[in-house]
Amino acid sequence: MASINKVYLIDDDEINNFICTNILKKIDFSSDVVAFESGTEALEVLNKAIEEKDVSQIPDVIFLDINMPIMNGWDFLEEYKNIKDKLNKKVSLFMLSSSIYQADVEKSKQYGEVVDFVTKPLNADILNEIKNKYF
């Protein structure tokens, strides 16, 4: 099973980030979880890691919420597409949403960067399923 060293959790809900971070660590999904409350913030860190050639700052997994202010998940994906080849690392990106809006599921399939669409809230069962299926 592949090792998941670093996870980015991008969601504007601070409480959700706190809970998910603890679950990710508790079930040994990853011990290094970095939560961002905006896609802009996460892109800044990724761009800095690219600039500094610091692969240790690049995640193995990104959980990306769709509905966020300023930069939503789709906007993040458009920016991410421009930098993903510079990451020098395979990153598995999962879209997150609290609704099962079929149009969002279909739209996520149009992005080669998206591994899967996951319904929030993340819990131990969902995360173990992801780990077993993809890693």
Side-chain angles (χ1 to χ4, degrees):
M1 188 176 293
S3 177
I4 303 169
N5 295 315
K6 184 182 283 291
V7 171
Y8 278 10
L9 180 60
I10 307 170
D11 191 328
D12 62 314
D13 185 334
E14 184 179 356
I15 294 168
N16 184 65
N17 285 346
F18 177 79
I19 293 167
C20 288
T21 297
N22 286 323
I23 293 170
L24 285 159
K25 290 178 179 180
K26 185 177 182 179
I27 67 164
D28 292 325
F29 190 94
S30 176
S31 61
D32 189 359
V33 181
V34 183
F36 297 96
E37 291 181 30
S38 77
T40 308
E41 205 181 338
L43 285 169
E44 287 173 8
V45 173
L46 283 172
N47 280 311
K48 184 177 180 192
I50 291 167
E51 184 181 308
E52 295 176 355
K53 296 180 178 19
D54 186 358
V55 179
S56 71
Q57 295 306 308
I58 297 170
D60 300 292
V61 174
I62 296 175
F63 289 108
L64 175 64
D65 186 28
I66 293 175
N67 297 312
M68 297 182 287
I70 304 166
M71 174 182 274
N72 67 29
W74 306 121
D75 296 335
F76 176 91
L77 269 175
E78 289 301 321
E79 294 293 323
Y80 179 78
K81 284 182 358 183
N82 296 324
I83 66 168
K84 71 173 183 156
D85 291 335
K86 299 174 188 171
L87 297 176
N88 294 322
K89 183 176 183 180
K90 182 185 182 303
V91 178
S92 299
L93 193 147
F94 296 86
M95 296 300 291
L96 293 175
S97 182
S98 54
S99 70
I100 310 172
Y101 188 51
Q102 195 58 37
D104 285 340
V105 176
E106 293 306 316
K107 186 173 182 178
S108 73
K109 291 177 183 175
Q110 296 173 8
Y111 288 88
E113 296 78 13
V114 176
V115 174
D116 205 347
F117 187 95
V118 181
T119 304
K120 293 194 313 187
L122 286 177
N123 60 44
D125 290 338
I126 291 170
L127 290 166
N128 282 323
E129 185 178 318
I130 288 170
K131 194 169 188 179
N132 291 333
K133 184 173 182 181
Y134 299 106
F135 303 98

